[in-house]
Amino acid sequence: MTGDIELLTIFVLSVFVGFEVISKVSPILHTPLMSGANAIHGVILVGAIVVAGQAEGALQIGLALIAVVLATINMVGGFVVTDRMLEMFRPSDRRRAGGSADEQTQLPTPTSRDDR
Amino acid sequence: MTGDIELLTIFVLSVFVGFEVISKVSPILHTPLMSGANAIHGVILVGAIVVAGQAEGALQIGLALIAVVLATINMVGGFVVTDRMLEMFRPSDRRRAGGSADEQTQLPTPTSRDDR
Amino acid sequence: MSGSDTWVQLAYLVAATCFIVALKGLSAPRTARTGNLLGAAGAVLAVTVALVSEDLDHLPLIIAAMAIGVAVGVPAARRVPMTGMPQLVAMFNGVGGGAAAAVAFVEFLRSGDDDPVAVVLATVFSVVVGCVSLTGSLVTFAKLQELMTTRPVVFPGGRFVSAGVAAVTVGLGLAVAPTRSEGLLAAVAVAGLASGVLFVLPVGGADVPVVISLLNAFTGLTVAASGYVLDSTLLIVAGTLVGAAGTVLTRLMAAAMGRSIASILFGAFTTVSTAGTTGSATSTRPVRSGGPEDVAILLAYARRVVIIPGYGLAVAQAQHTVKELADVLMARGVRVMYGVHAVAGRMPGHMNVLLAEARVPYSQLEEMDQANSDMPATDVALVVGANDVVNPSARTETGSPIFGMPIIDADAARNVVFLKRSMRPGFAGIDNPLLYDPKTTMLFGDAKDSLAKLVAAVKAL
Amino acid sequence: MSGSDTWVQLAYLVAATCFIVALKGLSAPRTARTGNLLGAAGAVLAVTVALVSEDLDHLPLIIAAMAIGVAVGVPAARRVPMTGMPQLVAMFNGVGGGAAAAVAFVEFLRSGDDDPVAVVLATVFSVVVGCVSLTGSLVTFAKLQELMTTRPVVFPGGRFVSAGVAAVTVGLGLAVAPTRSEGLLAAVAVAGLASGVLFVLPVGGADVPVVISLLNAFTGLTVAASGYVLDSTLLIVAGTLVGAAGTVLTRLMAAAMGRSIASILFGAFTTVSTAGTTGSATSTRPVRSGGPEDVAILLAYARRVVIIPGYGLAVAQAQHTVKELADVLMARGVRVMYGVHAVAGRMPGHMNVLLAEARVPYSQLEEMDQANSDMPATDVALVVGANDVVNPSARTETGSPIFGMPIIDADAARNVVFLKRSMRPGFAGIDNPLLYDPKTTMLFGDAKDSLAKLVAAVKAL
Ligand SMILES: NC(=O)c1ccc[n+]([C@@H]2O[C@H](COP(=O)([O-])OP(=O)(O)OC[C@H]3O[C@@H](n4cnc5c(N)ncnc54)[C@H](OP(=O)(O)O)[C@@H]3O)[C@@H](O)[C@H]2O)c1
Ligand SMILES: NC(=O)c1ccc[n+]([C@@H]2O[C@H](COP(=O)([O-])OP(=O)(O)OC[C@H]3O[C@@H](n4cnc5c(N)ncnc54)[C@H](OP(=O)(O)O)[C@@H]3O)[C@@H](O)[C@H]2O)c1
């Protein structure tokens, strides 16, 4: 029972951390943040691996392996797609080819673009 | 050992909560916040009570009772003094006698005072 | 979990800490990318430790399954066009929920008879919410991918059906605790799958991103529950973290669209059905259409022009052309600003990304509030492939699915010009009265073509 | 802890949650008071549960000890004047640290021989840091109460003595783990007490509040360590929370004074000793002193006056009189603002509290940055009982103990008037060149008297 209370404490503290860490986010980051959080819960892969490694019989093994496949998709795909999103947010750092001929006409101080 | 890991997890999460909860505070609140946090660690009184209740022999009992006295001072005094500090921050809500004759000459919208 | 060796647990704690710092990083532009990479590092650490430390049967099969997952996930994430990202995230979220449900289910098959009641209830929670997240996410995917209508799907008595299915799910779930029946848990899973569909169907397309975020929080909680079942502190922390952060994020996203979460989820049940108000019904009203030369004159002799980009700009990939037009106009002394709505396009920040790619100066971007307060001093509002985000019925028509969404008040400008291909409605599927406004000029055609013609016409003046 | 019954543990968890919410509440003005009350509620809950649920010997003695604590703590907290609050907080913090150290010590006496090494090390940590916090806080108390000099106390080789004592403390502490010797732990406690004194002595008086905050964080960590020794989740959470929040707060407070924590703690060792630069050395320089009538004319014919209050305003309790003067001047059309420095007085926000008590409108208060940018357009800077916070040597004299502290640039105004009783220095004990500036007029006397004379003189004009 003491173990359960400690897990409950961990749960409560995690709720506070989750709430506080995301206090204020600009709307521009809503999608990447959602996507990154989504990738993080892909860590269920750890659970899937453990369960698959202990599974017995076709049903358990089959279901557990499906869980491994799905969790891997969630985790790996999630981090990759988040990275792609965020990459698009800083074109001024990375001088992309798409900038084309207009690039010279850009007016403002480049540093101000970092605020985005 | 698993128990220790859970306590360590609780410790790490508490550190994050403590950091995040105090992200931005106006300088005016520095002293009350310090004082309130000071009162909170007065909860060592719980530990002092437990230890005193199990103590044996004059040395242990004496030391434990000293701990109870000190912890009580910390806790009770801490919350009371914090409350007194904060009370002084909202005189406009509480129409104090000290305002005296000048009170009528006050110029601004009373609501703006709440920002303090 | 078997590998309760201290170092393993410490590694898991490090991974959990990575996740916390990752989320914190993701919430500020400067640190977002590093944050994501840190999260990935934590995940890799956790998975590696799990593979190495646990005493696993079927290791080759597990590795093969992971390889399949990577082979599916990475190309999907690499190839998806930007406009498809939100539905891909929905998809990833759904499969994650399914995985968490499956994990809890297998653990129940393995040891369900001996577990304490609390663990069984956590199992049921994980299975139900994981299944809701799975099918709910599939429906949001279908809506965003326009595989089905984006408008709320409401059928007579729908709310009773939904309530009934939800009640059955809970009832069956509670019955698992005393019976420990595997068949019952399977029935619970099916009921959960059905609930997920019914839960998302009535949500209007414009609100779908908010629902994805909510389902994301659900999956987080599912993972936390599975973590409790498996006695894994890592899963509890990571899942709860995502559950809590996802809840906050959902509220922030709903607030950015001027909606409450309740009105998004249940709004379609309570407001008047809008099934009959599509564009076709009103398309007999007169519309003023103009040629590129007419619009070019309007623009070239304006003092202040606001460009309001929308989804059509992304479809036409017209971001460079729109900047060219702006430059040409500015060279003539016209003040040009961009009015960027937070939910223009198909994902938050969509327009910012496009305009940044075209190297539009940050100082020329106005957020909604700023744009609206400057609108009365604006001569021409040039709406490039946007529709819903300038639809005035969001302000007035209480029955409209977008009622209450804050919009850019293009109708407050002296003239309005729409660049779009037809009179068809936008994402929300509703008619836009501004298209028929006397001060509106329609310039039909693909946005990129129209903009190129406008550039030529202004230069020729 | 013996009472591991679920309800007891749940109650402790509720108390811990109260503390978290309390800290959050305390960090915003609107919720601060409620937050403090919530924290008190959590503490009462935890103590009640401990008294009721644990199987306690000596209960009457415990209750009596608590009664003594209340009898000492409450009147002290009730009666202390506002200017004495920071040192009272320091005192409370010190006794809390002492209590935590004593708790760990008693537990060691009881069961030290059987504890695992980790627990013994936590015990040592708790004893050492608790003792440092106790004596360190006593020294800060003595400094703030001006029972001893407020200036850095440095003696030749001081830093070697400090480093030596610290090394001895650590060495003795580590030796407790293998020996489990009670005598050794007592020696560790004594070494910790000595370290606390040596740690705080070199800190300059102006930096003392920052050190109190740091010691507060120390006590938090001590409580957490004692919690680990007692296997109490509540103490771990509450102590860690205060430790982490206190660390952040210490950094914020140091930043508000433009200092780094390292320079506060060790600055006195590295900078030139300032023992010889007191006021007496320079008091032969000429000073311009004026009467109330002269100053009244200066004020009454100014367009803009900035009043800069300081500790002397609090000592003289002149807040109402200063407002009266401001009102009289404003009635004549003079623009009057108050320039409030964050660390004017003896606690952060001290001046705000005083001026609020006198019902000075919030709109007339300027924070430092604002006040400084308006200063060149100011005709008279009226410095009422302030000194250090307008001392220009903070900007220029690298050897000065207040070097680097952001100040209100009273010297940028066209005229400066000081209301103080003498040429004596302020809290930091250093000379203020602005007192000798040609554009400065001194009006000697108690601030309240001087202000009353000024009111009369302005009215008579
Ligand atoms: N940003 C988000 O997070 C997000 C996510 C999902 C949904 N949504 C929803 O999406 C909507 C966004 O509003 P919006 O105003 O940006 O877009 P919208 O309302 O969907 O309208 C886009 C308009 O662009 C036109 N268009 C399409 N392709 C074009 C092309 N090649 N050239 C020129 N015009 C073209 C379409 O009209 P034609 O067919 O006549 O050309 C359409 O009316 C809102 O309802 C929002 O709630 C937003
Ligand atoms: N705010 C905080 O958190 C805090 C806490 C602790 C320390 N400190 C330190 O305290 C200092 C605060 O600066 P400060 O400028 O406000 O005060 P200060 O530098 O201490 O100067 C106060 C001046 O008031 C004068 N004074 C005292 N009683 C007076 C009376 N009855 N009538 C008229 N004048 C009177 C004194 O001069 P006479 O004796 O000549 O009258 C003294 O020079 C800073 O060094 C700060 O770092 C601040």
Side-chain angles (χ1 to χ4, degrees):
Chain A
M1 237 27 204
T2 319
D4 265 14
I5 279 291
E6 274 156 12
L7 294 183
L8 188 62
T9 307
I10 289 174
F11 172 76
V12 170
L13 290 171
S14 300
V15 168
F16 276 104
V17 174
F19 276 161
E20 293 298 328
V21 136
I22 309 291
S23 45
K24 272 207 162 180
V25 200
S26 121
I28 298 178
L29 281 177
H30 284 174
T31 306
L33 184 55
M34 174 171 82
S35 181
N38 171 53
I40 286 175
H41 65 51
V43 74
I44 183 66
L45 176 55
V46 169
I49 289 172
V50 170
V51 165
Q54 301 169 337
E56 281 163 17
L59 176 62
Q60 289 183 23
I61 297 179
L63 208 52
L65 289 179
I66 290 177
V68 172
V69 174
L70 296 182
T72 309
I73 294 176
N74 181 184
M75 190 179 105
V76 179
F79 284 116
V80 173
V81 80
T82 309
D83 192 58
R84 273 197 58 204
M85 280 182 204
L86 292 168
E87 184 183 23
M88 295 188 300
F89 274 76
R90 338 206 92 217
S92 51
D93 293 351
R94 345 191 74 235
R95 309 266 136 206
R96 340 176 104 216
S100 81
D102 304 356
E103 245 177 67
Q104 282 70 32
T105 59
Q106 200 197 344
L107 303 175
T109 57
T111 44
S112 74
R113 299 176 67 97
D114 277 0
D115 295 340
R116 235 167 305 159
Chain B
M1 241 24 207
T2 319
D4 265 13
I5 279 291
E6 274 154 11
L7 294 182
L8 188 61
T9 308
I10 288 174
F11 172 76
V12 170
L13 290 171
S14 300
V15 168
F16 276 103
V17 174
F19 277 161
E20 293 298 327
V21 137
I22 309 289
S23 45
K24 272 208 161 180
V25 201
S26 123
I28 297 177
L29 282 177
H30 284 174
T31 305
L33 184 55
M34 174 172 82
S35 179
N38 171 53
I40 286 175
H41 65 50
V43 74
I44 184 66
L45 176 56
V46 169
I49 289 173
V50 170
V51 165
Q54 301 168 338
E56 279 163 19
L59 176 62
Q60 290 184 22
I61 297 179
L63 209 51
L65 288 179
I66 290 177
V68 171
V69 174
L70 296 183
T72 309
I73 294 176
N74 181 186
M75 190 179 105
V76 179
F79 283 116
V80 172
V81 79
T82 310
D83 191 60
R84 273 197 59 203
M85 280 182 203
L86 292 168
E87 185 183 25
M88 292 187 301
F89 275 76
R90 341 205 90 219
S92 51
D93 294 351
R94 349 194 70 236
R95 310 264 137 206
R96 340 175 102 214
S100 82
D102 304 0
E103 243 175 67
Q104 283 71 31
T105 59
Q106 197 194 347
L107 304 174
T109 57
T111 44
S112 74
R113 300 176 66 98
D114 278 0
D115 294 341
R116 234 166 311 158
Chain C
M1 261 187 213
S2 56
S4 59
D5 172 43
T6 307
W7 289 108
V8 174
Q9 298 295 333
L10 273 183
Y12 284 149
L13 180 55
V14 170
T17 311
C18 285
F19 294 155
I20 297 175
V21 180
L23 275 185
K24 190 163 171 53
L26 277 166
S27 58
R30 202 168 288 275
T31 52
R33 209 161 169 206
T34 326
N36 184 53
L37 294 179
L38 191 63
V44 169
L45 173 67
V47 171
T48 311
V49 168
L51 285 174
V52 171
S53 72
E54 307 276 340
D55 184 19
L56 301 172
D57 296 340
H58 324 299
L59 193 55
L61 283 177
I62 294 174
I63 303 277
M66 287 177 62
I68 295 175
V70 172
V72 174
V74 173
R78 278 261 172 76
R79 298 220 187 100
V80 65
M82 195 172 50
T83 47
M85 283 180 180
Q87 46 268 51
L88 191 66
V89 173
M91 202 70 177
F92 288 159
N93 176 49
V95 299
V103 166
F105 205 119
V106 174
E107 187 67 13
F108 183 79
L109 294 178
R110 238 175 43 83
S111 67
D113 291 343
D114 317 322
D115 285 333
V117 175
V119 171
V120 175
L121 289 180
T123 305
V124 171
F125 178 88
S126 182
V127 169
V128 171
V129 182
C131 289
V132 167
S133 192
L134 175 59
T135 53
S137 297
L138 289 178
V139 175
T140 60
F141 178 83
K143 288 203 179 208
L144 284 185
Q145 198 73 344
E146 306 196 17
L147 302 177
M148 60 176 288
T149 172
T150 60
R151 307 215 284 112
V153 176
V154 205
F155 45 90
R159 77 166 104 180
F160 301 108
V161 175
S162 298
V165 172
V168 168
T169 313
V170 173
L172 290 177
L174 291 178
V176 173
T179 62
R180 308 288 161 113
S181 156
E182 295 166 2
L184 210 52
L185 190 59
V188 168
V190 172
L193 294 171
S195 299
V197 174
L198 292 170
F199 176 67
V200 177
L201 275 184
V203 175
D207 296 329
V208 164
V210 179
V211 173
I212 297 179
S213 176
L214 187 65
L215 292 173
N216 189 34
F218 279 11
T219 305
L221 293 180
T222 312
V223 170
S226 295
Y228 178 66
V229 172
L230 297 176
D231 198 16
S232 159
T233 313
L234 170 65
L235 295 191
I236 295 179
V237 173
T240 309
L241 212 57
V242 175
T247 307
V248 176
L249 185 59
T250 306
R251 284 181 44 205
L252 290 176
M253 288 174 77
M257 305 178 66
R259 313 293 301 269
S260 78
I261 294 178
S263 75
I264 287 172
L265 296 182
F266 308 115
F269 287 133
T270 49
T271 56
V272 186
S273 166
T274 51
T277 61
T278 30
S280 55
T282 43
S283 60
T284 51
R285 281 196 269 158
V287 164
R288 179 153 56 122
S289 147
E293 293 75 20
D294 310 328
V295 175
I297 290 172
L298 207 56
L299 293 172
Y301 295 105
R303 261 160 309 157
R304 188 172 197 281
V305 170
V306 169
I307 298 173
I308 303 166
Y311 180 58
L313 184 85
V315 176
Q317 284 294 307
Q319 60 271 32
H320 294 107
T321 326
V322 81
K323 172 156 197 302
E324 213 183 323
L325 177 63
D327 288 343
V328 170
L329 289 174
M330 284 189 294
R332 292 183 63 100
V334 183
R335 286 203 60 206
V336 182
M337 300 297 279
Y338 296 79
V340 178
H341 191 284
V343 297
R346 288 294 178 274
M347 59 183 207
H350 199 161
M351 294 302 121
N352 298 72
V353 171
L354 283 177
L355 296 176
E357 192 189 316
R359 311 191 68 74
V360 169
Y362 189 60
S363 54
Q364 271 174 266
L365 305 186
E366 291 189 323
E367 291 196 14
M368 186 176 59
D369 293 340
Q370 184 60 39
N372 283 348
S373 70
D374 293 346
M375 200 58 80
T378 300
D379 299 302
V380 186
L382 179 66
V383 183
V384 183
N387 195 340
D388 296 343
V389 299
V390 296
N391 189 335
S393 62
R395 283 199 305 260
T396 51
E397 273 188 45
T398 47
S400 163
I402 63 169
F403 177 71
M405 178 169 105
I407 61 159
I408 296 195
D409 303 331
D411 52 342
R414 293 197 192 92
N415 297 280
V416 181
V417 175
F418 272 91
L419 306 193
K420 65 199 296 283
R421 297 164 309 180
S422 68
M423 296 299 287
R424 281 197 301 273
F427 186 79
I430 52 159
D431 213 31
N432 185 348
L434 188 57
L435 301 179
Y436 309 95
D437 196 285
K439 66 179 166 192
T440 296
T441 307
M442 304 294 303
L443 176 54
F444 290 112
D446 176 80
K448 191 168 184 175
D449 295 346
S450 299
L451 285 165
K453 285 182 196 150
L454 284 175
V455 170
V458 171
K459 279 186 177 159
L461 279 175
Chain D
M1 252 181 225
S2 55
S4 60
D5 172 43
T6 307
W7 288 109
V8 174
Q9 298 295 332
L10 273 182
Y12 285 150
L13 180 54
V14 170
T17 311
C18 284
F19 293 154
I20 297 175
V21 180
L23 275 185
K24 192 165 170 53
L26 277 167
S27 59
R30 201 168 289 275
T31 52
R33 206 160 173 207
T34 326
N36 184 53
L37 293 179
L38 191 64
V44 169
L45 172 67
V47 171
T48 312
V49 168
L51 286 175
V52 171
S53 71
E54 307 276 340
D55 184 20
L56 301 172
D57 296 340
H58 324 299
L59 193 55
L61 283 178
I62 294 175
I63 303 276
M66 288 176 63
I68 295 174
V70 172
V72 174
V74 173
R78 278 260 171 77
R79 297 221 188 101
V80 65
M82 193 172 50
T83 47
M85 284 181 180
Q87 46 268 49
L88 191 67
V89 173
M91 203 68 179
F92 287 159
N93 176 51
V95 299
V103 166
F105 204 119
V106 175
E107 187 66 13
F108 183 80
L109 294 178
R110 238 175 43 83
S111 67
D113 291 343
D114 316 323
D115 284 333
V117 174
V119 171
V120 175
L121 289 181
T123 304
V124 172
F125 178 90
S126 182
V127 169
V128 170
V129 182
C131 288
V132 168
S133 192
L134 174 59
T135 51
S137 298
L138 288 178
V139 175
T140 61
F141 177 83
K143 288 203 179 207
L144 283 185
Q145 198 75 345
E146 307 194 18
L147 302 177
M148 59 177 285
T149 172
T150 60
R151 308 213 286 113
V153 177
V154 206
F155 45 91
R159 80 168 101 182
F160 300 106
V161 175
S162 298
V165 172
V168 168
T169 312
V170 172
L172 290 177
L174 291 178
V176 174
T179 61
R180 308 288 163 116
S181 155
E182 295 167 2
L184 210 51
L185 190 59
V188 168
V190 172
L193 294 171
S195 299
V197 174
L198 292 170
F199 176 67
V200 178
L201 274 184
V203 174
D207 297 328
V208 164
V210 179
V211 173
I212 297 179
S213 177
L214 187 65
L215 291 173
N216 190 33
F218 278 11
T219 305
L221 293 180
T222 311
V223 170
S226 295
Y228 178 68
V229 172
L230 297 176
D231 199 15
S232 159
T233 313
L234 170 65
L235 295 192
I236 295 179
V237 173
T240 310
L241 212 57
V242 174
T247 307
V248 176
L249 185 59
T250 306
R251 285 182 44 207
L252 289 176
M253 287 173 77
M257 303 177 67
R259 313 293 301 268
S260 78
I261 295 179
S263 76
I264 288 173
L265 295 182
F266 309 114
F269 286 133
T270 49
T271 56
V272 186
S273 169
T274 52
T277 62
T278 28
S280 54
T282 43
S283 59
T284 50
R285 282 197 270 158
V287 165
R288 177 152 57 123
S289 147
E293 292 74 20
D294 309 327
V295 175
I297 290 173
L298 207 55
L299 293 172
Y301 295 103
R303 262 160 311 157
R304 187 171 197 283
V305 170
V306 170
I307 298 174
I308 303 167
Y311 179 59
L313 184 84
V315 175
Q317 284 294 306
Q319 61 269 36
H320 293 106
T321 324
V322 81
K323 174 159 195 299
E324 211 183 324
L325 177 63
D327 288 341
V328 170
L329 289 174
M330 284 189 292
R332 293 183 62 101
V334 182
R335 286 201 62 205
V336 182
M337 301 297 279
Y338 297 78
V340 179
H341 192 285
V343 297
R346 287 297 177 271
M347 60 184 205
H350 199 162
M351 293 300 121
N352 298 73
V353 170
L354 282 178
L355 296 176
E357 191 190 315
R359 311 190 68 75
V360 169
Y362 190 59
S363 55
Q364 271 175 266
L365 305 188
E366 290 189 323
E367 291 196 12
M368 186 177 56
D369 292 341
Q370 184 61 39
N372 283 348
S373 70
D374 294 346
M375 199 59 81
T378 300
D379 300 302
V380 186
L382 180 65
V383 183
V384 183
N387 195 340
D388 296 343
V389 299
V390 296
N391 189 335
S393 62
R395 284 199 305 261
T396 50
E397 274 188 44
T398 48
S400 163
I402 63 167
F403 178 69
M405 178 168 105
I407 61 159
I408 296 194
D409 303 331
D411 52 342
R414 290 195 195 93
N415 298 279
V416 182
V417 175
F418 272 90
L419 307 192
K420 65 199 295 284
R421 297 165 307 181
S422 67
M423 295 301 286
R424 279 196 302 274
F427 186 78
I430 52 160
D431 212 30
N432 185 347
L434 187 58
L435 300 179
Y436 309 95
D437 196 284
K439 66 179 167 192
T440 295
T441 309
M442 303 295 302
L443 175 54
F444 289 110
D446 177 79
K448 192 167 183 174
D449 294 346
S450 299
L451 285 166
K453 285 183 198 148
L454 284 176
V455 170
V458 171
K459 278 187 179 158
L461 281 177

